[in-house]
Amino acid sequence: MIKNLDKIECRLLLSQNYIGHLSYIFSHKPYVVPMTYYYDVNTDFVIGYASKGHKIKALRIQRDVAMVVSEVDSVNHWKSVLVQGVYHECEGSTALMNLRKFTSGVKEIIRNIEGINVSYISEFSSKIIKEGSPIVYKIEVEDIIGRVRGL
C-alpha cells in the first residue's frame, strides 16, 4: 500500500541522503539531472554546486525547480520525496560558507550510511575554493511531499 509521508518524514528522508535528481526548464523543454546535495535542516535549503554550463544558464533564467530523492529497496519497498523550490546563487563569503556546509554535511552522511571516511571530499572542496570555479547555489524549499510503499 502506498501512503503519504508527513512533512517531518519528508525532511528526514531529504536530510539522510545526498544524491537526488534536479528538474528544470530551458527553452520550453524539461531537463532532469543527477545531483549531489546537502539539505540544511536549520535553514530549509538544499545546497549544491555546479560548473558554469547548461544547468546554471537555465537556472539563471528560470529559477523554479523540482528535485526528487528516493530510497528504493525493491518495487514494493521504497520512499520518495518531491521538493519544489527556487534557485538562489551564492556569492563571495556566502558561497564559501555554503560550500563548506555542503562538504562537511555530505561527508557526515556518507560516514553514517556507508561507514567510511571520505577525506577526498575535503581535498576536492579545498581545490575548487582555490580555483574559484564552482557556482554554489541553494534551493529554497517551498513545498515538499513524499510517498512510501511497503516500509
Side-chain angles (χ1 to χ4, degrees):
M1 179 159 105
I2 297 173
K3 72 170 200 152
N4 294 330
L5 297 173
D6 65 29
K7 300 290 186 195
I8 292 170
E9 292 170 315
C10 288
R11 285 180 168 83
L12 182 63
L13 182 78
L14 196 58
S15 70
Q16 292 175 336
N17 289 279
Y18 62 96
I19 303 286
H21 287 83
L22 182 68
S23 174
Y24 59 93
I25 301 291
F26 185 68
S27 294
H28 308 288
K29 294 181 182 177
Y31 291 85
V32 178
V33 296
M35 70 176 290
T36 303
Y37 74 91
Y38 171 69
Y39 174 62
D40 185 345
V41 296
N42 297 318
T43 63
D44 203 26
F45 277 87
V46 172
I47 302 170
Y49 73 91
S51 299
K52 277 188 180 179
H54 182 268
K55 176 172 61 179
I56 295 300
K57 181 178 179 181
L59 292 172
R60 286 176 172 168
I61 295 168
Q62 173 53 263
R63 296 177 43 227
D64 296 320
V65 299
M67 181 181 149
V68 173
V69 174
S70 300
E71 290 180 357
V72 179
D73 294 327
S74 72
V75 69
N76 290 315
H77 292 89
W78 52 264
K79 292 181 188 178
S80 184
V81 168
L82 170 67
V83 172
Q84 293 175 315
V86 179
Y87 168 85
H88 298 277
E89 210 163 288
C90 303
E91 296 179 354
S93 62
T94 302
L96 183 59
M97 177 192 68
N98 281 294
L99 187 58
R100 287 186 175 139
K101 267 189 201 179
F102 170 90
T103 302
S104 62
V106 170
K107 281 175 58 175
E108 182 65 25
I109 293 166
I110 292 171
R111 191 171 20 254
N112 289 340
I113 292 173
E114 300 175 26
I116 58 173
N117 189 12
V118 286
S119 60
Y120 63 86
I121 290 179
S122 294
E123 294 163 13
F124 172 72
S125 66
S126 297
K127 180 181 177 191
I128 59 179
I129 289 167
K130 289 177 188 171
E131 294 174 4
S133 61
I135 306 296
V136 179
Y137 60 88
K138 299 192 304 185
I139 297 170
E140 177 183 3
V141 177
E142 290 190 326
D143 195 20
I144 186 169
I145 59 172
R147 306 277 189 274
V148 60
R149 180 173 186 165
L151 296 176

